Amino acid sequence: MRPNESKFNYYNGIFGFDLRGCTRTDDSERFFATRWFIFNLLPLIPLQRYYLSETRVSSQQYTGQIEHVFANSVYKVHGRSRLHVGEIVRTYAYAWLVAPALVIVPVVHLMETTDRADDSTDIWLIIGALLWPFIGIFLVVLLPEVFRKFQRSPRPVSWRAEPPDH
């Protein structure tokens, strides 16, 4: 294992470390992101903010007649930064409030209105209640990418020497 290889890994989304709050890439194709300790895909503790570049790596594996294609991101750390309070608050709010509400609230509403609907609309409410979690999860994954694309560009990076270790 290369140094820092496990810095951003998690196991099946259950526990580990993940990058959240990624900023828009700057002119050098680098961005800021915060490393979080996660449990059940929910961010618990912000650990460190990094200045990174990302490379997509794909690999193929054959099992009998079936080809499996895997795509991973490899991050190169170019520097560290102090934690950004606004980014931490946005990450908590999105993961703990907005994302669950996007998935759960419409399903509860559809289930509630099923009792009051007439027979002709029951099937559409049931179909909606069954499909919405998938649509909601798609939106939960898509919205951070849309936010990242349209947010303002990060300020230019200015490097400072690290304080000496004593």
Side-chain angles (χ1 to χ4, degrees):
M1 183 184 323
R2 293 178 303 202
N4 299 331
E5 193 172 81
S6 65
K7 200 178 256 194
F8 308 117
N9 291 343
Y10 55 86
Y11 181 72
N12 289 338
I14 298 172
F15 63 90
F17 305 96
D18 193 17
L19 292 173
R20 302 285 172 99
C22 300
T23 64
R24 188 175 184 175
T25 56
D26 59 16
D27 295 335
S28 63
E29 296 298 315
R30 297 175 182 171
F31 59 95
F32 287 97
T34 301
R35 178 178 171 233
W36 287 79
F37 175 72
I38 64 166
F39 180 74
N40 228 11
L41 288 178
L42 293 170
L44 296 179
I45 304 167
L47 300 171
Q48 181 67 53
R49 191 167 190 239
Y50 295 100
Y51 186 53
L52 307 162
S53 59
E54 178 182 18
T55 305
R56 297 289 290 172
V57 177
S58 61
S59 60
Q60 298 174 345
Q61 200 176 53
Y62 292 95
T63 309
Q65 300 291 327
I66 300 172
E67 175 186 9
H68 302 281
V69 178
F70 301 97
N72 292 317
S73 292
V74 176
Y75 298 99
K76 181 176 180 185
V77 177
H78 297 280
R80 292 185 306 180
S81 173
R82 69 187 192 304
L83 291 173
H84 193 273
V85 175
E87 182 181 291
I88 292 169
V89 170
R90 275 193 307 270
T91 301
Y92 276 133
Y94 185 74
W96 289 90
L97 300 174
V98 174
L102 264 174
V103 176
I104 295 169
V105 170
V107 172
V108 170
H109 177 68
L110 285 169
M111 301 295 272
E112 221 174 62
T113 56
T114 304
D115 292 336
R116 290 179 269 150
D118 58 16
D119 292 337
S120 63
T121 58
D122 279 350
I123 188 68
W124 295 111
L125 290 173
I126 292 170
I127 290 171
L130 293 173
L131 289 180
W132 183 258
F134 299 105
I135 296 167
I137 290 169
F138 175 75
L139 290 174
V140 164
V141 172
L142 181 69
L143 287 176
E145 290 302 317
V146 170
F147 178 77
R148 181 179 178 187
K149 184 176 181 181
F150 291 107
Q151 70 182 341
R152 66 180 173 80
S153 297
R155 292 181 298 226
V157 174
S158 59
W159 297 100
R160 290 189 295 177
E162 290 205 25
D165 292 330
H166 294 288

